[in-house]
């Protein structure tokens, strides 16, 4: 295994920064107590790749921090991101809230990455003053059929100053129809609990122009604290479609509005 501990950067990637033309693999890597400064991206890791995929396997991001965008892992303009058995714990973005989805989450932000999958992951106590406490997926490139796949993954006690206490997903352009195989956000066997959004909607999940489908998943004890216009204590969807499949439960979620 490999360990990065107590690393810091004044620019992107407190522990690791990469720009690649091929695939990137991080396997059994521990990132601990790493940070990056303001206007930077990725308290622990920041990168991009032209071809191939970025894979993170059996790794841990803990106590990552930034006053810029995304405390854990920031990835932009890559064909695919694969997270397998990877943990994000106590990763925090500090600073003033901005109404910009690309400012990033406490855990992972993927910008213009059309194929993202998270399998058997854990996002525990990750926070941001922006959108998406645990995970942000923003697609501004409208030339592809983007898809986000979460399977067997848990979000617990994540918090966002904006929309999406645990997860925020944005897709620009024509929403189109949900297709579980080729486009949209599909969650299978996912648990989201005790997560909070302070602005807008989606104490658990906020999907903006993204078709959303939940299979055998649970969203419970999540909350939106926006007293003026808070909506969707568990799930918030705009201009898309939300489909709750067999075994899905929304339990004890609260919206202030």
């Amino acid at each position: 295994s490999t360990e990065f501990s107590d690393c810091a950067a004044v620019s992107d990637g407190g522990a690791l920064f990469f720009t690649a033309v091929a695939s990137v693999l991080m396997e059994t890597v521990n990132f601990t107590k790493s940070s990056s400064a303001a206007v930077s991206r990725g308290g622990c890791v920041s990168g991009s790749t032209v071809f191939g995929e970025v894979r993170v396997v059996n790794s841990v991001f803990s106590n990552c921090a930034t006053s810029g965008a995304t405390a854990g892992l920031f990835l932009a303009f890559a064909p695919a991101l694969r997270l397998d058995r990877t943990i994000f714990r106590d990763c925090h973005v500090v600073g003033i809230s901005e109404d910009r989805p690309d400012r990033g989450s406490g855990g992972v932000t993927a910008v213009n990455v059309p194929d993202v999958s998270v399998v058997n992951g854990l996002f525990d106590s990750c926070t941001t003053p922006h959108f998406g406490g645990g995970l942000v997926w923003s697609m501004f490139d409208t030339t592809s059929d983007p898809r986000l796949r979460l399977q067997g993954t848990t979000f617990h006690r994540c918090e966002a100053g904006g929309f999406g206490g645990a997860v925020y997903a944005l897709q620009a352009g024509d929403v189109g129809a949900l297709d579980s195989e080729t486009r949209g956000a599909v969650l299978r066997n996912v648990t989201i609990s005790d997560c909070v959004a302070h602005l807008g909607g989606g104490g658990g999940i906020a999907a903006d122009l993204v078709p959303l489908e939940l299979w055998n998943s649970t969203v419970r004890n999540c909350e939106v604290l926006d007293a003026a216009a808070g909506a969707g204590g568990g799930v918030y969807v705009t201009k898309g479609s939300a489909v709750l499949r067999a075994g899905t439960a929304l339990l004890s979620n609260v919206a202030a509005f």
Side-chain angles (χ1 to χ4, degrees), residues 155-183:
F155 295 83
H156 180 61
R157 301 183 75 172
C158 293
E159 187 171 345
F163 289 71
V167 178
Y168 177 78
L170 169 67
Q171 176 185 324
D174 183 22
V175 175
L178 173 69
D179 185 326
S180 297
E181 299 302 321
T182 61
R183 64 179 297 147

Side-chain angles (χ1 to χ4, degrees), residues 67-68 93-101 103-104 128-132 160-163 198-200:
S67 53
V93 179
V94 297
I96 300 172
S97 177
E98 295 183 45
D99 189 13
R100 290 174 49 189
R103 290 301 291 165
T128 179
H130 312 304
F131 293 8
F163 289 71
H198 286 265
L199 172 68

